[in-house]
Amino acid sequence: MSGTQDRITDALYGLGWATVKKLPEPVAQRLGRTIADAAWKKRGKGVRQLEANLARVVPDATPERLQQLSKKNMRSYLRYWMESFRLPAWSKERIREGVSIKDVDYLTEGLDSGKGVVLALPHMGNYDLAGAWVTTKLDTPFTTVAERLKPETLYDRFVAYREGLGMEVLPHTGGAAFGTLARRLRAGGLVCLVADRDLSSSGVEVKFFGETTRMPAGPAMLAQQTGALLLPVTLWYDDSSIMRGRVHPPVDVPETGTRAEKTSVMTQALADAFATGIADHPEDWHMLQRLWLADLDNFEERPA
């Protein structure tokens, strides 16, 4: 991305945060749906890839059904953005009442044990809102990792935004993040990681909706190294103003095997939990990028 493009991108996001949070909620909701419908109708590469991904999730869906799902998905995705732009202006009461999580006892009991907890999530619903709910409703700070965005000023905006919600944010690049996360867990803290897409190209191969992809090894490795509890979480929207979620049962560390073998088993268990939540709510899985190895390999083989 050129310097000019960087500045334009950063300015557009800055405009979103500065203006959307001032809109009345019904107006912001309508704006989000309008933008989502326009993007869906344009059928750019993101929407086309989204439908290709959804075809794996709902393999018996007709083309018409896939288009309906992708339209709902884009509306869900823009709801995420509208909420995120507005979240810094929400009251603590609005945040506390804006999320309902099933089986949250897995999390609270894990924290009470003092062993530390790793929450692993796919790109579903609004994980920033879920994070704000954790820091507000549960009064629990946590540490997370953010992908370094371009331009750098945009990454700085995201870090400042999430830190303003009570999160400690570490950059994804560099080797220091894992050590810091491990220290937080050993102190009994909470770590939250979005973990359905490998950003390093060196993740663990898993079967996901019947095909092979890679997912990050970090959540499983942290649980093994620190003794922390590893909990999958899935999020979704319904027709209300409340975001729903579920904390899935813990992913146990296998009793036998090498570290790599244990990591493989645990990451597969995460993938299976993610698949359960995504299959139930495919319209809220915001995966507009290539994910499965077959798509990545085909992309890499195309001539420039």
Side-chain angles (χ1 to χ4, degrees):
M1 188 180 289
S2 69
T4 300
Q5 288 175 314
D6 285 350
R7 288 191 294 273
I8 291 172
T9 300
D10 183 51
L12 288 173
Y13 278 101
L15 181 65
W17 265 303
T19 60
V20 173
K21 70 180 178 182
K22 298 177 182 178
L23 296 175
E25 192 157 344
V27 176
Q29 290 171 350
R30 288 196 297 272
L31 176 61
R33 286 194 297 269
T34 299
I35 295 172
D37 290 351
W40 177 81
K41 188 175 182 179
K42 188 177 179 181
R43 297 194 59 76
K45 64 180 182 180
V47 172
R48 296 195 304 273
Q49 186 60 53
L50 172 63
E51 289 184 2
N53 293 339
L54 290 172
R56 268 98 166 198
V57 176
V58 192
D60 58 347
T62 64
E64 293 77 14
R65 170 64 174 150
L66 282 177
Q67 288 192 2
Q68 291 172 356
L69 272 178
S70 67
K71 186 173 185 179
K72 290 181 179 179
N73 195 296
M74 290 301 295
R75 287 187 172 189
S76 173
Y77 186 43
L78 264 294
R79 177 174 171 175
Y80 158 76
W81 278 110
M82 291 297 117
E83 285 180 346
S84 295
F85 285 143
R86 293 173 52 76
L87 198 49
W90 281 15
S91 67
K92 290 185 178 180
E93 182 180 5
R94 176 71 176 87
I95 293 172
R96 286 193 294 264
E97 295 179 352
V99 179
S100 177
I101 305 293
K102 181 181 179 182
D103 295 329
V104 73
D105 289 350
Y106 284 126
L107 170 58
T108 55
E109 290 173 6
L111 291 170
D112 289 343
S113 74
K115 295 181 179 179
V117 176
V118 180
L119 292 182
L121 306 88
H123 286 79
M124 289 186 76
N126 187 338
Y127 35 84
D128 286 324
L129 173 55
W133 182 83
V134 167
T135 61
T136 304
K137 176 74 172 181
L138 303 185
D139 194 25
T140 302
F142 66 89
T143 305
T144 188
V145 174
E147 178 183 1
R148 279 204 175 276
L149 302 171
K150 295 295 183 179
E152 191 74 14
T153 50
L154 179 58
Y155 170 78
D156 292 339
R157 284 184 186 273
F158 271 99
V159 170
Y161 157 67
R162 287 171 174 153
E163 289 179 341
L165 298 174
M167 311 175 193
E168 179 187 22
V169 183
L170 307 176
H172 179 268
T173 54
F178 188 92
T180 301
L181 295 174
R183 287 193 295 274
R184 300 293 182 268
L185 291 168
R186 289 193 184 100
L190 175 63
V191 165
C192 300
L193 301 171
V194 180
D196 59 340
R197 180 168 172 251
D198 178 45
L199 297 175
S200 66
S201 298
S202 60
V204 178
E205 288 195 2
V206 295
K207 287 293 183 182
F208 193 52
F209 292 102
E211 293 190 43
T212 304
T213 186
R214 284 188 293 261
M215 291 188 180
M221 292 177 65
L222 284 166
Q224 289 180 65
Q225 186 163 316
T226 67
L229 192 68
L230 176 56
L231 297 173
V233 179
T234 51
L235 306 169
W236 66 91
Y237 293 120
D238 57 18
D239 293 331
S240 74
S241 60
I242 298 174
M243 183 180 71
R244 311 290 175 175
R246 175 191 176 193
V247 181
H248 295 253
V251 173
D252 295 327
V253 178
E255 294 182 0
T256 60
T258 64
R259 175 175 292 187
E261 289 169 343
K262 292 178 180 180
T263 299
S264 178
V265 170
M266 295 171 72
T267 307
Q268 182 63 63
L270 279 182
D272 293 343
F274 293 164
T276 297
I278 292 167
D280 288 341
H281 305 281
E283 65 275 12
D284 294 308
W285 184 46
H286 307 144
M287 185 57 64
L288 281 70
Q289 298 86 15
R290 295 176 178 87
L291 181 71
W292 280 273
L293 298 192
D295 289 349
L296 294 171
D297 292 342
N298 289 339
F299 176 71
E300 291 167 356
E301 290 170 1
R302 292 175 187 172

